[in-house]
Amino acid sequence: MRFASYWHETSTSFAMGTAGPVSGDFEVAVIGAGFTGLSAARKLAQSGVKVALLEAEHVGYGASGRNGGHLNSGHFASFGAAKQHLGEDRARRLWRAYDDSIDLIERIIEDEKIACDFRRGGKIKLASKPSHVAKLQTMCAEIRREVDPSAEWLTREDLRKEVISDAFHGGILSPKSAMMHMGRYANGLAQAAHRHGAAIWERSPVTARERMRNGWRLNTPTGTLTARQVILATDAYTPSTFNYFRRRLMPIASFIIVTRPLTSQEIATTLPGNRNFTNSLNIANYFRLTPDNRMLFGGRARFSAISNQKSNVSSGQLLRQQMVSVFPQLANVEIDYCWGGLVGCTQDRYPRAGSADGVIYSMGYSGHGAQLSTFMGNALADMAMGQKDANPLDGFAWPAVPLHAGNPWFLPIVGTYYRMKDLMP
């Protein structure tokens, strides 16, 4: 078993980074080479803007290269809950942004000829308990009525064509949802940004910043650049240089295991539907087949802000137990990959974007950024170029988390609370 991201290990690394020390004067500097930053850099360069992208590690290192590979339509909450929390107009704008982002990803893949196994496979949100059925049925009816008439309720009998397990009692099918190979998309997006003229420096963390009369000076270990505007696209991996955002974000570790390739018979008796799947528990699991027919199975195996090999080992063991409890037929299937990563969560789990602390930003995707981040990167680019009404998240207030200074000490307490809720009938 390799303690490394399957997406990283099975894609060709970006090899067109700018050589030499960081230097130059730019109109816009983007910090973070995940989907948000790469999308912003591509759009800016395509529009003729002189743009630099600074990445602390390598392209797609963070959540963009460590997620579950789902591009799911809509947001995590019921539309009614979002409407109550955000107001109807903002709830609708946010829902449309998730759908529009999948459409945008599909167009970019076609325009830039990125080979990343994109497919509209649909997603099923599974009822993990009989007591969850009525709530999900109400949610499905509301979605169909308010925002997506293509959503469909599947009975437990219907599910037998999709997922072979006794663990589920019905589910919501969202046909618009998609999937792709995240590593190949990230590297293809970086190649596209470079091809359009963006300068991309990898392994160049921003260690300090200084406000100047006409913008910012950004310092890295290898050099310094200046930029009139800065886009911050670091989410859970935001450094202490930008503590304003760290006080509003809670980085939570998420973990994933990937099996060896399954045979056609094993697929037929496990996931014949070949869709994205997530369950309805508070500490949910998510799973799908990879392009080469491996089972990818993930979840919040532990509530912490730590993801390292030690935590990956123990979390991988727990995820294997959870996978086998859902799919006993996979008990003897080997695990080939195991890894963890950080998810940037807001207190209410809704994302945030706008201008603050001298930068333009989008983050706080709360585990649903794979689909939204490309769209938000484009929106940040438009904002940097002065376009009005480019931000679908405009007007979302974002107070700091009480008693939180960047190190979320309270996460184990939160995790214990939700585990107890999941044990209830």
Side-chain angles (χ1 to χ4, degrees), residues 265-277:
Q265 178 61 26
E266 287 170 333
I267 293 169
T269 57
T270 306
L271 288 183
N274 197 6
R275 304 183 190 272
N276 297 332
F277 298 89

Side-chain angles (χ1 to χ4, degrees), residues 127 129-141 153 169-170 172:
K129 301 178 183 180
S131 60
H132 292 184
V133 169
K135 180 180 178 180
L136 289 187
Q137 285 177 322
T138 300
M139 183 186 296
C140 181
W153 176 254
H169 306 272
I172 304 172

Side-chain angles (χ1 to χ4, degrees), residues 91-110:
R92 289 189 185 279
R93 276 191 287 143
L94 180 58
W95 192 284
R96 284 197 301 269
Y98 281 99
D99 285 358
D100 291 347
S101 193
I102 300 175
D103 294 341
L104 176 61
I105 289 167
E106 190 169 22
R107 289 198 303 272
I108 289 173
I109 288 169
E110 182 177 350

Side-chain angles (χ1 to χ4, degrees), residues 328-376:
Q329 59 270 44
L330 298 183
N332 296 319
V333 172
E334 298 86 357
I335 305 300
D336 279 358
Y337 296 93
C338 174
W339 73 92
L342 298 178
V343 176
C345 291
T346 60
Q347 196 171 8
D348 61 7
R349 295 186 63 196
Y350 293 100
R352 297 298 196 278
S355 299
D357 200 32
V359 303
I360 303 169
Y361 69 91
S362 179
M363 57 183 72
Y365 297 124
S366 303
H368 298 270
Q371 59 271 45
L372 184 61
S373 48
T374 295
F375 182 84
M376 290 310 303

Side-chain angles (χ1 to χ4, degrees), residues 64-135:
S64 295
R66 298 172 184 273
N67 59 71
H70 295 201
L71 302 172
N72 292 330
S73 59
H75 43 70
F76 76 94
S78 71
F79 183 74
K83 186 164 60 173
Q84 183 176 7
H85 185 71
L86 303 171
E88 183 170 356
D89 178 64
R90 289 174 184 163
R92 289 189 185 279
R93 276 191 287 143
L94 180 58
W95 192 284
R96 284 197 301 269
Y98 281 99
D99 285 358
D100 291 347
S101 193
I102 300 175
D103 294 341
L104 176 61
I105 289 167
E106 190 169 22
R107 289 198 303 272
I108 289 173
I109 288 169
E110 182 177 350
D111 292 346
E112 304 292 357
K113 297 179 173 53
I114 301 174
C116 62
D117 300 287
F118 177 91
R119 185 171 68 84
R120 294 267 187 174
K123 167 213 170 180
I124 301 178
K125 184 176 180 68
L126 299 157
S128 296
K129 301 178 183 180
S131 60
H132 292 184
V133 169
K135 180 180 178 180

